[in-house]
Amino acid sequence: MSHITNLTSNDLTSAAAAAPPAMAALGVAAPGVAAPGSLTKATPGAPGVGGISDAQDTGGAVPAAGHPDGGGSGSGWGERPLATIVIVNWNGAHLLPPCLDAVAKQVTGFGFQTWVVDNASSDHSRAMLAERYPWVRVIESSRNLGFAGGNNLALRQVSTTYAVLLNNDAIPEPDWLANLLAPFDQPGGDKLGAVTGKVVFLPRFLRLRLETPTFSPGPHDSRSLGARISSVTVNGRDVLRDVLWEKLTFGAEGPPTAPFFWTRGNGEMLVPVPESGTVTLGLTWAAEAAKTVMLSWDGHSGPADGGPGWAAADGGAARFAALPVTGTEPNAVSVTIDDTAPRVDVINNVGGIVLRDGYGADRGYQEVDTGQFSNPEEVFTACGNGMAMRAELGHDLGWFDDDFFLYYEDTDLSWRIRSRGYSIRYVPGAVLRHVHSASSVEWSPLFVFHTDRNRLLMLTKDATLPLAAAAVARYPLTTASIAIRTLRQGWRARSRPAVRPTLLRLKVIASYLRLFPSMVGRRREIGRTASERRRALQDWLVSR
């Protein structure tokens, strides 16, 4: 899964893929063959086949959608599962139960089995799986293979008809799997290589609009900055990393342990909140000088609450508060938002796109879900979280590229699916709720390294030579530009220059060069087996 976050034309922010599919699942199913149920009856000696005998006590949720007997002996289901769900896990013992409980509740007309690939977890994931989910087959890896290698460890063993990827930090709706696989059995399904569903963020959100005067930091930074936010709390709980900032800020800055966000002069922030009840929102911020920030939100049409800085707007249909920023030293403010403020669902991914400069992006990323993506349609790429694929095609393509580890591996695989002449379809009825960046931290060095490097690897393998060469050549030039600018800023400020971003980009270049010969070989293999020309596939690429 990929999204664009404040990318500039000169590639300065160097991040184009997120909402990471760091932990995902792959499953296979053929609709309309087995009798109804969520798991095919276990066949003796068949490893990983879901289904439990009546005498077994799972200690947790059991895969018995529509069947109170849990799919055990005598349930009347088929002898062979038609689907395999593979969930890659790394230290996700706290994430797996909601995911697996939701998998167990899938309502389908076919059987499926569930595998978890444990990527050398150091927490109690394996013990928890053995105790609470004995119907899950656990495939143990001796080291962390990442999203790509972890999935491949299981995918290369899959013998069922379709493959479905599911993050361990995602919770599927009960009809998710059935809706995801249905298009394969519909007219034109024989040319369908993959299907991708609707991924929304797990919590619901409060939509807040912010407006404040701006300033320019100086000749070396052309941005118009509003306020610097270093803390956001909801009812006393820190949610800074969970706020969706795409339409308000310039992205995370500062060290990973203490990030902050500079806002624009106006925009929208989406704050995760409880499903109901009054919310006390706390903000800690600073700016270049004392100023007022106007914060507004939708609310009831009754009279204003009264009190300093409060009023009703637009005939009482909207609410706002005038909040102070006292200056360059951070100050904390709070505002109480009553329970009439509407909660909204926010889109994480509804299929993917690739921009003409080679960056991958999630369609609909951080848009409030108002039904704008309610129709099935063809898309260029599928999201690695909730992606269904023909297993036979996956085996032929070699599944994910192990060298990618995580990020952009789904975009690369989608590009290769299309090179064989297959299409990719988005279906809105296959809904997942996803915990944003639960398995890795957006904007962390790990994130930036793999998104930067893997974008270049993907283009080297899949794109036309002009696009690939331009992107690869631009990266070291931009790195040099950043290094020179950083040194100049440090010299003028008489301070130590921030060299870590440049060193990280140099590490990207070194890793790319190490893998370049392998990518060229894979590029030739893709060209040899393709039925669609690269130039024709790039007609799908879109402008910013």
Side-chain angles (χ1 to χ4, degrees):
M1 176 186 305
S2 307
H3 76 265
I4 298 171
T5 308
N6 303 320
L7 296 175
T8 59
S9 59
N10 64 356
D11 185 29
L12 287 179
T13 56
S14 65
M23 306 296 161
L26 181 90
V28 182
V33 179
S38 67
L39 282 176
T40 300
K41 183 174 66 177
T43 302
V49 175
I52 50 178
S53 71
D54 296 340
Q56 284 179 301
D57 179 9
T58 66
V62 294
H67 290 269
D69 62 1
S73 178
S75 67
W77 301 356
E79 293 295 325
R80 179 177 180 272
L82 297 173
T84 305
I85 296 179
V86 181
I87 301 170
V88 176
N89 176 69
W90 180 71
N91 292 336
H94 61 298
L95 299 170
L96 281 169
C99 176
L100 290 174
D101 291 348
V103 167
K105 296 175 183 176
Q106 291 300 297
V107 180
T108 69
F110 49 85
F112 64 91
Q113 60 190 7
T114 306
W115 298 352
V116 170
V117 177
D118 189 78
N119 248 343
S121 294
S122 58
D123 65 1
H124 63 286
S125 291
R126 298 182 188 182
M128 183 272 295
L129 287 167
E131 178 183 355
R132 296 181 57 181
Y133 302 96
W135 48 270
V136 171
R137 177 189 176 190
V138 179
I139 302 173
E140 298 184 1
S141 174
S142 60
R143 61 190 178 92
N144 186 355
L145 300 173
F147 174 81
N151 269 290
N152 284 345
L153 190 63
L155 291 176
R156 287 166 182 156
Q157 304 179 45
V158 167
S159 60
T160 43
T161 307
Y162 303 105
V164 181
L165 305 175
L166 177 66
N167 282 22
N168 72 340
D169 54 7
I171 300 175
E173 296 291 327
D175 57 355
W176 162 74
L177 185 58
N179 290 338
L180 190 68
L181 297 178
F184 290 110
D185 206 33
Q186 295 170 355
D190 58 322
K191 295 303 295 179
L192 190 59
V195 177
T196 192
K198 176 187 284 188
V199 184
V200 297
F201 290 107
L202 177 61
R204 305 195 78 202
F205 292 81
L206 187 66
R207 176 161 52 179
L208 301 171
R209 294 171 289 273
L210 181 148
E211 184 173 355
T212 190
T214 62
F215 73 101
S216 176
H220 302 292
D221 189 341
S222 60
R223 297 176 298 172
S224 293
L225 304 179
R228 172 178 151 159
I229 301 178
S230 56
S231 174
V232 180
T233 62
V234 170
N235 299 337
R237 184 176 70 88
D238 177 40
V239 297
L240 179 72
R241 296 181 184 276
D242 303 318
V243 175
L244 303 180
W245 303 99
E246 185 80 0
K247 298 180 180 180
L248 176 63
T249 73
F250 293 92
E253 301 177 57
T257 55
F260 59 85
F261 297 81
W262 274 106
T263 75
R264 296 178 173 86
N266 59 78
E268 180 179 282
M269 60 189 290
L270 296 156
V271 179
V273 293
E275 190 64 32
S276 61
T278 298
V279 170
T280 299
L281 176 71
L283 296 160
T284 301
W285 50 24
E288 86 292 358
K291 61 176 65 174
T292 298
V293 176
M294 301 301 296
L295 199 67
S296 63
W297 59 93
D298 297 331
H300 62 67
S301 58
D305 294 330
W310 288 82
D314 298 333
R319 319 282 293 180
F320 70 85
L323 303 171
V325 178
T326 58
T328 57
E329 292 298 319
N331 69 286
V333 298
S334 66
V335 59
T336 300
I337 301 172
D338 66 41
D339 60 4
T340 64
R343 274 67 167 168
V344 298
D345 283 328
V346 180
I347 293 169
N348 189 169
N349 177 282
V350 285
I353 62 174
V354 175
L355 299 179
R356 294 195 183 280
D357 55 8
Y359 284 95
D362 291 332
R363 285 198 326 146
Y365 184 70
Q366 292 196 17
E367 291 185 24
V368 173
D369 186 7
T370 59
Q372 69 271 42
F373 297 104
S374 60
N375 296 322
E377 57 186 308
E378 189 172 358
V379 292
F380 184 55
T381 68
C383 173
N385 182 19
M387 169 184 173
M389 183 179 171
R390 294 183 180 277
E392 183 179 5
L393 176 60
H395 287 302
D396 193 28
L397 292 171
W399 299 108
F400 291 117
D401 190 323
D402 289 295
D403 284 328
F404 279 49
F405 193 76
L406 75 164
Y407 303 132
Y408 273 104
E409 68 290 294
D410 51 357
T411 309
D412 167 61
L413 180 57
S414 296
W415 210 317
R416 289 185 283 129
I417 289 171
R418 287 196 161 277
S419 75
R420 296 296 185 90
Y422 287 90
S423 62
I424 298 173
R425 176 160 289 269
Y426 158 72
V427 288
V431 179
L432 293 174
R433 291 190 172 271
H434 180 224
V435 181
H436 181 51
S437 292
S439 301
S440 64
V441 179
E442 197 171 343
W443 302 106
S444 67
L446 174 78
F447 170 85
V448 173
F449 172 80
H450 283 98
T451 55
D452 277 21
R453 187 200 64 173
N454 291 354
R455 180 179 67 90
L456 300 179
L457 295 178
M458 177 193 70
L459 294 174
T460 300
K461 289 175 60 179
D462 303 315
T464 59
L465 186 58
L467 174 56
V472 171
R474 185 170 59 245
Y475 194 84
L477 293 176
T478 303
T479 301
S481 175
I482 292 173
I484 293 171
R485 186 180 65 182
T486 299
L487 291 173
R488 285 177 176 172
Q489 290 175 340
W491 181 79
R492 289 172 178 170
R494 298 295 190 270
S495 64
R496 183 178 179 180
V499 297
R500 288 185 178 180
T502 300
L503 293 177
L504 182 59
R505 291 177 69 95
L506 291 174
K507 182 180 177 183
V508 167
I509 294 170
S511 182
Y512 170 80
L513 292 175
R514 179 179 61 84
L515 292 170
F516 176 75
S518 297
M519 296 301 124
V520 171
R522 292 167 200 173
R523 175 186 178 89
R524 290 171 180 163
E525 177 64 17
I526 292 169
R528 186 184 65 81
T529 58
S531 60
E532 293 287 333
R533 296 176 62 86
R534 288 189 171 92
R535 190 168 300 279
L537 291 178
Q538 284 185 196
D539 289 341
W540 278 92
L541 273 56
V542 299
S543 301
R544 289 182 181 273

